[in-house]
Short mmCIF file of all heavy atoms in Angstrom, two decimals:
data_model
loop_
_atom_site.label_atom_id
_atom_site.label_comp_id
_atom_site.label_asym_id
_atom_site.label_seq_id
_atom_site.Cartn_x
_atom_site.Cartn_y
_atom_site.Cartn_z
N PRO H 20 165.36 -1.59 -61.43
CA PRO H 20 164.90 -2.67 -62.30
C PRO H 20 163.82 -2.22 -63.27
O PRO H 20 163.01 -1.34 -62.96
CB PRO H 20 164.35 -3.72 -61.31
CG PRO H 20 164.03 -2.95 -60.08
CD PRO H 20 165.02 -1.83 -60.02
N ALA H 28 155.93 -5.63 -48.49
CA ALA H 28 157.03 -5.82 -47.54
C ALA H 28 158.22 -6.50 -48.18
O ALA H 28 159.37 -6.10 -47.96
CB ALA H 28 156.54 -6.64 -46.35
N ALA H 35 160.14 0.29 -61.17
CA ALA H 35 159.91 -0.09 -62.55
C ALA H 35 160.19 1.08 -63.47
O ALA H 35 159.99 2.24 -63.11
CB ALA H 35 158.47 -0.56 -62.74
N PRO H 88 185.87 12.95 -50.43
CA PRO H 88 186.90 11.96 -50.12
C PRO H 88 186.25 10.73 -49.50
O PRO H 88 185.41 10.85 -48.60
CB PRO H 88 187.83 12.68 -49.15
CG PRO H 88 187.01 13.80 -48.58
CD PRO H 88 186.04 14.19 -49.65
N GLY H 116 195.32 0.01 -43.37
CA GLY H 116 196.40 0.97 -43.20
C GLY H 116 195.96 2.40 -43.43
O GLY H 116 196.74 3.23 -43.90
N ASP H 123 185.16 12.51 -44.44
CA ASP H 123 185.24 11.33 -45.30
C ASP H 123 183.89 10.64 -45.40
O ASP H 123 183.10 10.64 -44.44
CB ASP H 123 186.24 10.31 -44.73
CG ASP H 123 187.69 10.65 -45.03
OD1 ASP H 123 187.93 11.57 -45.84
OD2 ASP H 123 188.58 9.99 -44.46
N TRP H 135 173.10 -9.52 -55.23
CA TRP H 135 172.15 -8.62 -55.88
C TRP H 135 171.40 -9.36 -56.99
O TRP H 135 172.00 -10.03 -57.83
CB TRP H 135 172.87 -7.42 -56.46
CG TRP H 135 171.97 -6.50 -57.25
CD1 TRP H 135 171.89 -6.43 -58.60
CD2 TRP H 135 171.07 -5.51 -56.74
NE1 TRP H 135 170.99 -5.48 -58.99
CE2 TRP H 135 170.46 -4.89 -57.86
CE3 TRP H 135 170.72 -5.10 -55.45
CZ2 TRP H 135 169.52 -3.88 -57.72
CZ3 TRP H 135 169.77 -4.08 -55.33
CH2 TRP H 135 169.19 -3.49 -56.44
N GLY H 159 183.77 12.21 -37.45
CA GLY H 159 183.41 13.28 -38.39
C GLY H 159 182.80 12.80 -39.68
O GLY H 159 182.74 13.54 -40.66
N GLU H 176 162.32 -2.28 -34.37
CA GLU H 176 163.06 -1.29 -33.59
C GLU H 176 163.94 -0.38 -34.44
O GLU H 176 164.16 0.78 -34.08
CB GLU H 176 163.94 -2.01 -32.55
CG GLU H 176 163.14 -2.72 -31.46
CD GLU H 176 162.31 -1.76 -30.63
OE1 GLU H 176 162.72 -0.61 -30.44
OE2 GLU H 176 161.22 -2.17 -30.16
N ALA H 179 169.75 1.26 -35.69
CA ALA H 179 170.73 2.16 -36.33
C ALA H 179 170.03 3.32 -37.01
O ALA H 179 170.45 4.48 -36.89
CB ALA H 179 171.59 1.38 -37.32
N ILE H 190 172.78 7.94 -45.29
CA ILE H 190 173.13 6.53 -45.46
C ILE H 190 172.91 6.11 -46.91
O ILE H 190 171.81 6.28 -47.46
CB ILE H 190 172.23 5.64 -44.57
CG1 ILE H 190 172.23 6.12 -43.12
CG2 ILE H 190 172.67 4.17 -44.66
CD1 ILE H 190 171.02 5.62 -42.34
N ALA H 195 176.82 -1.09 -55.15
CA ALA H 195 177.34 -2.17 -55.98
C ALA H 195 178.86 -2.27 -55.76
O ALA H 195 179.66 -1.90 -56.62
CB ALA H 195 177.03 -1.91 -57.46
N ALA H 199 183.56 -4.45 -57.78
CA ALA H 199 184.42 -3.26 -57.86
C ALA H 199 185.57 -3.29 -56.87
O ALA H 199 186.69 -2.85 -57.18
CB ALA H 199 183.56 -2.01 -57.63
N PRO H 204 190.99 1.08 -55.30
CA PRO H 204 191.91 1.44 -54.21
C PRO H 204 191.12 1.79 -52.96
O PRO H 204 189.92 2.09 -53.02
CB PRO H 204 192.66 2.66 -54.76
CG PRO H 204 191.75 3.24 -55.77
CD PRO H 204 191.02 2.08 -56.39
N ARG H 206 191.27 4.38 -51.11
CA ARG H 206 190.85 5.78 -51.09
C ARG H 206 190.59 6.28 -52.51
O ARG H 206 191.29 5.91 -53.45
CB ARG H 206 191.92 6.67 -50.44
CG ARG H 206 191.83 6.67 -48.93
CD ARG H 206 192.49 7.92 -48.34
NE ARG H 206 192.09 8.07 -46.96
CZ ARG H 206 191.01 8.72 -46.56
NH1 ARG H 206 190.22 9.32 -47.44
NH2 ARG H 206 190.71 8.81 -45.29
N PRO H 213 172.11 12.38 -55.07
CA PRO H 213 170.74 11.89 -55.11
C PRO H 213 169.86 12.79 -55.98
O PRO H 213 170.15 13.97 -56.17
CB PRO H 213 170.31 11.99 -53.64
CG PRO H 213 171.11 13.13 -53.10
CD PRO H 213 172.43 13.10 -53.83
N SER H 215 167.03 15.28 -56.60
CA SER H 215 166.53 16.32 -55.70
C SER H 215 165.00 16.25 -55.65
O SER H 215 164.29 17.01 -56.29
CB SER H 215 166.99 17.71 -56.16
OG SER H 215 166.61 18.70 -55.23
N ALA H 219 161.40 14.46 -49.89
CA ALA H 219 161.50 13.00 -49.87
C ALA H 219 162.41 12.54 -48.74
O ALA H 219 163.34 13.24 -48.33
CB ALA H 219 162.02 12.48 -51.20
N PRO H 223 167.01 7.83 -55.14
CA PRO H 223 168.01 7.07 -55.89
C PRO H 223 169.19 7.96 -56.24
O PRO H 223 169.04 9.17 -56.42
CB PRO H 223 167.26 6.66 -57.16
CG PRO H 223 165.81 6.85 -56.86
CD PRO H 223 165.73 7.93 -55.82
N VAL H 226 176.25 6.53 -57.82
CA VAL H 226 177.49 6.60 -57.05
C VAL H 226 178.64 6.21 -57.96
O VAL H 226 178.65 5.11 -58.53
CB VAL H 226 177.44 5.67 -55.83
CG1 VAL H 226 178.74 5.76 -55.02
CG2 VAL H 226 176.24 6.00 -54.94
N ILE H 229 185.91 8.06 -58.25
CA ILE H 229 186.87 8.73 -59.13
C ILE H 229 188.27 8.37 -58.66
O ILE H 229 188.69 8.75 -57.56
CB ILE H 229 186.68 10.26 -59.10
CG1 ILE H 229 185.23 10.63 -59.46
CG2 ILE H 229 187.66 10.94 -60.04
CD1 ILE H 229 184.90 12.08 -59.21
#
Side-chain angles (χ1 to χ4, degrees):
D123 280 350
W135 175 258
E176 293 297 329
I190 309 159
R206 277 202 165 272
S215 185
V226 180
I229 304 169

